[in-house]
Amino acid sequence: METALSKTPQQRQVVFLTMLLLLWEADSEAIRYSMPEETESGYLVANLAKDLGLRVGELATRGARIHHRGNKELLQLDAETGNLLLRGKPDREVLCGVTDPCVLHFQLILENPVQFFQTDLQITDINDHAPEFPHREMLLKIPENVQPGTVFPLKAAQDSDIGSNAVQNYTVNPNLHFHVVTQSRADGSKYPELVLDRALDREEQPELTLTLTAVDGGSPPRSGITTVRIEVVDINDNAPQFVQSLYEVQVPENSPLNALIVTVSARDLDVGPYGNIAYSLFQGGGVSQPFVIDEVTGEIRLSKQLDFETVRYYNVEIAATDGGGLSGKCTVSVQVLDVNDNAPELTISTLTSPIPENSPEAVVVVFSVFDLDSGDNGRMVCSIQNEFPFLLKSAFENYYTLVTEGALDRESSAEYNITITVTDMGTPRLTTQHTITVQVSDVNDNAPAFTQTSYTLFVQENNSPALHIGTISATDSDSGSNAQITYSLLPPYDPQLALSSLVSINANNGQLFALRALDYEALQAFEFHVGATDQGSPALSSQALVRVLVLDANDNAPFVLYPLQNASAPCTELLPRAAEPGYLVTKVVAVDRDSGQNAWLSFQLLKATEPGLFSVWAHNGEVRTSRLLSERDAPKHRLLLLVKDNGDPPRSASVTLHVLLVDGFSQPYLPLPEVARDPAQDEDLLTLYLVIALASVSSLFLLSVLLFVGVRLCRRARAASLGGCSVPEGHFPGHLVDVSGAGTLSRSYQYEVCLTGDSGTTDFKFLKPIIPNSLVPDTYMLNS
């Protein structure tokens, strides 16, 4: 990902162009202050809050700070008052050298929101340096035949001050032969020339001593002096002359020491000693020269390392002097070429970490970049990794902000190691990298998620209370308190379900417990919802369905519906002696409240009065004859049947049947089967029965006659449709048994049997069946 001043669809990059800087300066005015050098520490430069139109204290609340780029921390900001104070004495010559004007650039950075203000501080020069000559004495050898008006160049004095405080004038002590003329170079610096006013006479005065004074323009002015000693020599009428008056040379700043810069050449028409030329560095222009010259060959070589960022141009004056003392001069202009020898510098001003994950376009980092090189070597491109959701934005001049491209997702990535790469455009390209770590703080944006949408739990009935029946589990992608989950039971949809008395849940781990013993026969299954809520703000929750299935246990024995076992007298079944083998005597009907194989019933004949006479079908409980009856068979039979389920362990119930053999259903009296009683009770009951029988015989005889007449009339009227008989109301001791098809009997029968207490014979009245059955005899009516 790249941010540039000129962005293309393929890449984003930031290029520091000189034109952009000029445009920026045109659009935004810098706050400029000025102060003289050597001002005492603590000096109040200005009140920034007032100049910027800010309220008192706003600088402190917005984290105002002064950023110095490559400069000594010269200024100090009092954020509470807004005063900009001087930290130490500024020395213009140390800070800017020969650069004029001396302007130091500072940036005022405000946060919340991020703002930048350019502050320029101009250090004005004061006259705190006196001119100084390179040497305490200069020697001139002048032939005696030199004509008046001849000019002799002298070495200039050096003054660290600039402008009017630099050297402005040269003077020489009064004398008869010379005066000094002050000349100006193209850069405004002054240098002296000695002019001959009167011809010299070696015989009259072979040597002269002059005092040269350099005076600056300060107030008060400062001065420096040197001695000019003049030796008058014999005639040498030709001065050396350089082939070129100006040599222009370009030298890369990374040139090695002793590298050849240029070779100068001069000629002298004289011969002999007056024709021998010696080269020397004549004029330094006030700057220490990193060059040496071979006085014989004129080769100028590098004696010190060049630095484009410190000095970009050198003007070197070369003097060629012959043996007679005449000299000529030329100027060598050395331009230092910049090479890409400075990597970009990156300074972090503000780093915000962690960043909330739901903060779009949040400012993460504020930083500045700088490159000491110039041209393409000083143009820079800033970039970060493409795969990260961050953007680089140009904020102010060489300041940039790193912002989030959109809302972050901590669950996808909780930390980013972002490498800011700054590359210049020089050859070879130099790169600076700075890696920052950005933490993403969690926001409660994920609800708990159950591992399953529904849970099915199985519980064996008759469980012990507080039994752990299962565990539900939910996870939360958030962290910290946002991921702490609390489980709870939600109110059931069925208001009749007392959920709070059935189950409970551990709020911390989701374990479910049965609070009481469950009964399959009462409650086979129930379902409810469980909620999972995190501890975030606001809290998020989800729910899952829990279905509890109660497993049946064999805790119920079979129950016999027919024949009833709790009657006052056992049930007696009638069996005609003429019954064929396989004759259905009766059917035992039983049920089991359990389910599944626990309710599968089987029937078994345990005991019989006549073994081999009866058999029981194991699966439907039908009691049938196994063979033909004979006269030897007992008239009364007692059968003991076992009804057993298929549970583990199995449960069972026993059934007692009484079967009475009859001859064609024609006997008027069917004795009741004997029931085991206490002998004393039998005697009392027998006496009671005899009394009742004697009292009832008379009334029953009359009723029987009336009944007989009524039956005859009924049969004539409803012989075809009813198949039954209307019986007058009266007390008939007997039993009415109705077995419907709802039991396990394969057929449906209805028997109406009236049994009298008389000891006489019993008559049978054959009636049509209410429900026809072709396999068994019709319904029988027994009347006395």
Side-chain angles (χ1 to χ4, degrees), residues 389-471:
F390 296 91
L391 290 175
L392 281 177
K393 291 186 177 181
S394 177
F396 170 80
E397 195 182 10
N398 59 338
Y399 280 85
Y400 296 86
T401 58
L402 179 67
V403 300
T404 56
E405 190 172 13
L408 304 178
D409 186 10
R410 188 204 65 82
E411 289 71 37
S412 299
S413 181
E415 179 180 288
Y416 294 92
N417 290 317
I418 304 174
T419 300
I420 303 175
T421 303
V422 185
T423 305
D424 61 27
M425 305 303 293
T427 303
R429 296 191 176 189
L430 299 180
T431 298
T432 296
Q433 290 185 335
H434 188 88
T435 300
I436 60 174
T437 300
V438 179
Q439 304 284 343
V440 181
S441 60
D442 185 49
V443 174
N444 192 26
D445 56 350
N446 290 279
F450 283 94
T451 56
Q452 300 174 217
T453 57
S454 63
Y455 296 82
T456 301
L457 306 178
F458 298 92
V459 182
Q460 191 77 28
E461 68 170 327
N462 304 321
N463 58 284
S464 60
L467 176 68
H468 176 223
I469 61 176
T471 302

Side-chain angles (χ1 to χ4, degrees), residues 360-569:
E361 296 188 3
V363 177
V364 180
V365 178
V366 178
F367 66 94
S368 62
V369 294
F370 178 73
D371 196 317
L372 292 173
D373 296 319
S374 63
D376 288 342
N377 298 331
R379 288 197 293 267
M380 292 167 287
V381 175
C382 295
S383 63
I384 61 174
Q385 302 98 313
N386 289 326
E387 64 271 15
F388 290 161
F390 296 91
L391 290 175
L392 281 177
K393 291 186 177 181
S394 177
F396 170 80
E397 195 182 10
N398 59 338
Y399 280 85
Y400 296 86
T401 58
L402 179 67
V403 300
T404 56
E405 190 172 13
L408 304 178
D409 186 10
R410 188 204 65 82
E411 289 71 37
S412 299
S413 181
E415 179 180 288
Y416 294 92
N417 290 317
I418 304 174
T419 300
I420 303 175
T421 303
V422 185
T423 305
D424 61 27
M425 305 303 293
T427 303
R429 296 191 176 189
L430 299 180
T431 298
T432 296
Q433 290 185 335
H434 188 88
T435 300
I436 60 174
T437 300
V438 179
Q439 304 284 343
V440 181
S441 60
D442 185 49
V443 174
N444 192 26
D445 56 350
N446 290 279
F450 283 94
T451 56
Q452 300 174 217
T453 57
S454 63
Y455 296 82
T456 301
L457 306 178
F458 298 92
V459 182
Q460 191 77 28
E461 68 170 327
N462 304 321
N463 58 284
S464 60
L467 176 68
H468 176 223
I469 61 176
T471 302
I472 62 169
S473 178
T475 59
D476 197 313
S477 301
D478 296 319
S479 64
S481 61
N482 295 330
Q484 295 178 2
I485 299 176
T486 300
Y487 300 92
S488 62
L489 297 177
L490 300 181
Y493 296 145
D494 185 1
Q496 297 181 356
L497 179 63
L499 183 62
S500 59
S501 64
L502 293 176
V503 294
S504 68
I505 190 169
N506 188 315
N508 297 323
N509 55 27
Q511 292 183 346
L512 290 168
F513 299 90
L515 296 180
R516 61 180 176 86
L518 302 178
D519 185 4
Y520 173 83
E521 288 70 34
L523 182 63
Q524 298 180 359
F526 61 94
E527 61 184 27
F528 55 91
H529 285 84
V530 174
T533 305
D534 59 28
Q535 302 299 313
S537 179
L540 300 179
S541 63
S542 61
Q543 61 182 4
L545 176 66
V546 178
R547 183 179 294 106
V548 178
L549 300 180
V550 182
L551 300 180
D552 182 43
N554 193 24
D555 57 346
N556 291 282
F559 178 77
V560 179
L561 297 176
Y562 180 82
L564 295 177
Q565 299 299 296
N566 57 353
S568 59

Side-chain angles (χ1 to χ4, degrees), residues 141 240 242 266 268 274-280 319-328:
K141 294 181 179 181
F242 282 93
D268 194 320
Y274 299 122
N276 296 329
I277 298 176
Y279 299 97
S280 62
T321 306
D322 61 17
L326 298 179
S327 61

Side-chain angles (χ1 to χ4, degrees), residues 243-276:
V243 177
Q244 296 176 226
S245 61
L246 176 63
Y247 292 84
E248 295 180 345
V249 182
Q250 293 180 338
V251 181
E253 63 173 325
N254 62 344
S255 299
L257 296 179
N258 203 39
L260 178 62
I261 304 301
V262 69
T263 300
V264 297
S265 177
R267 294 178 299 174
D268 194 320
L269 298 178
D270 294 325
V271 294
Y274 299 122
N276 296 329

Side-chain angles (χ1 to χ4, degrees), residues 605 607-614 627 632-634 637-639:
L605 181 59
K607 185 177 180 182
T609 305
E610 187 69 32
L613 179 58
F614 300 97
R627 61 176 174 81
R632 295 190 301 267
D633 293 327
H637 292 268
R638 182 177 180 271
L639 305 180

Side-chain angles (χ1 to χ4, degrees), residues 244-253 255 259-265 281 289-293 298-302 306 308 311-318 330-338:
Q244 296 176 226
S245 61
L246 176 63
Y247 292 84
E248 295 180 345
V249 182
Q250 293 180 338
V251 181
E253 63 173 325
S255 299
L260 178 62
I261 304 301
V262 69
T263 300
V264 297
S265 177
L281 295 176
Q289 306 291 341
F291 308 105
V292 293
I293 189 170
E299 293 180 348
I300 299 177
R301 294 184 178 274
L302 190 63
L306 300 178
F308 173 84
V311 180
R312 301 185 180 188
Y313 297 95
Y314 292 93
N315 287 316
V316 183
E317 293 190 359
I318 308 299
C330 72
T331 302
V332 178
S333 178
V334 180
Q335 179 183 1
V336 181
L337 300 180
D338 183 41

